[in-house]
Amino acid sequence: MPGYRSLSTHLSGTAADHAREAELRQRGGDAEMAAQLLEEALNAAIRVRPEMPGWICGRLASIYRTLKRYDAEVMLLGRYRESQTSEEARTRFDARLSKARAIAERKRRPVTGALETVRQVRRRSKERRRGQSRAPTLVAVSGGMGLTAVQAELRAALLDLSPNGDVRLRACLAQLCADGHDGDLQMEDLVSTLKSAWAATPVPPELTPEGWHERWSNALVVLLALYFGEAA
């Protein structure tokens, strides 16, 4: 196909398998699945080597652009830059990153009014509920009561570092958002639920504390995007 680049020889094992499958899905017109497979390939690659592979990042960034997931593209290219040790590699996607930031900013402007409306609704809701007892089912339970069922599932998904772990976590966050919308909960409630599950979970031996914090940060970005109806 025009513009197709063969798989990098630096990729092997699980990362290469997912990347090959992603190429097939992309050529078959399933960009969403291709993106998920490349995300899994990227996770597999960085578990072996902390420097993010340029081939995967380049392909995934292109698919994000196709899917209009501009903020995800910016975040990916920024993470790629920060992971590199050589200046040549760090600057590889600089022009692309600048363009992605410009597009993301331009696309974000039309929804500014809508987001401000959401903020106003949230403020009014807080004022209405001030002084009232709150017991939404998704909010973190306090003291020694432990985790809610939702938090327990979130915890399991956060700990799942298998190739399908990110897909499982995304599905769990999507369900959390759906339940939150149904229950008229606030964004802060959902963030609190996620953070409580993450904070209550010991760092898995496969990850460093920094890597575990990055998993929380990535999950938070996905949660916000899902809540506000954006792709992530």
Side-chain angles (χ1 to χ4, degrees):
M1 64 180 289
Y4 173 72
R5 296 176 58 195
S6 60
L7 187 67
S8 170
T9 56
H10 294 96
L11 293 178
S12 60
T14 301
D17 292 341
H18 284 314
R20 291 190 188 95
E21 178 65 20
E23 287 297 319
L24 293 174
R25 293 302 185 104
Q26 172 71 358
R27 282 184 276 177
D30 191 350
E32 286 283 359
M33 181 54 68
Q36 289 186 25
L37 286 164
L38 284 173
E39 288 166 352
E40 293 169 11
L42 180 58
N43 288 332
I46 61 179
R47 283 199 288 270
V48 176
R49 185 183 181 196
E51 292 184 11
M52 295 170 67
W55 190 94
I56 293 178
C57 290
R59 294 296 292 166
L60 183 54
S62 294
I63 294 177
Y64 281 158
R65 181 82 60 89
T66 299
L67 294 171
K68 304 186 186 306
R69 294 166 60 175
Y70 305 113
D71 288 330
E73 181 186 2
V74 170
M75 179 175 294
L76 172 68
L77 295 177
R79 286 177 58 203
Y80 169 84
R81 197 180 199 285
E82 293 174 0
S83 75
Q84 303 304 305
T85 55
S86 73
E87 188 61 22
E88 180 181 359
R90 282 173 60 82
T91 58
R92 174 177 177 179
F93 293 130
D94 276 6
R96 195 168 177 176
L97 177 57
S98 296
K99 184 174 182 179
R101 282 172 174 160
I103 295 173
E105 179 60 27
R106 188 167 65 248
K107 296 296 183 181
R108 198 178 295 121
R109 285 172 190 158
V111 301
T112 300
L115 291 178
E116 180 56 32
T117 300
V118 171
R119 295 189 186 102
Q120 291 174 4
V121 170
R122 287 162 56 186
R123 284 196 293 267
R124 287 196 296 268
S125 179
K126 284 182 181 179
E127 291 171 0
R128 286 198 306 269
R129 294 184 299 174
R130 190 169 294 160
Q132 299 177 0
S133 61
R134 298 173 58 198
T137 57
L138 299 183
V139 176
V141 256
S142 60
M145 297 279 297
L147 301 176
T148 65
V150 171
Q151 288 173 322
E153 175 57 25
L154 277 171
R155 179 175 181 174
L158 286 164
L159 284 170
D160 187 352
L161 302 179
S162 70
N164 293 322
D166 285 345
V167 176
R168 178 184 181 185
L169 180 57
R170 183 183 179 85
C172 194
L173 294 171
Q175 185 60 52
L176 177 64
C177 286
D179 292 346
H181 285 305
D182 289 344
D184 196 25
L185 299 182
Q186 302 301 302
M187 184 71 245
E188 291 88 343
D189 295 328
L190 307 189
V191 172
S192 175
T193 299
L194 173 61
K195 189 166 186 179
S196 295
W198 174 80
T201 307
V203 179
E206 299 92 339
L207 294 179
T208 63
E210 292 77 14
W212 184 235
H213 191 274
E214 182 180 356
R215 186 149 178 80
W216 144 255
S217 298
N218 292 341
L220 178 59
V221 169
V222 173
L223 177 66
L224 292 170
L226 290 169
Y227 183 85
F228 289 112
E230 300 175 359

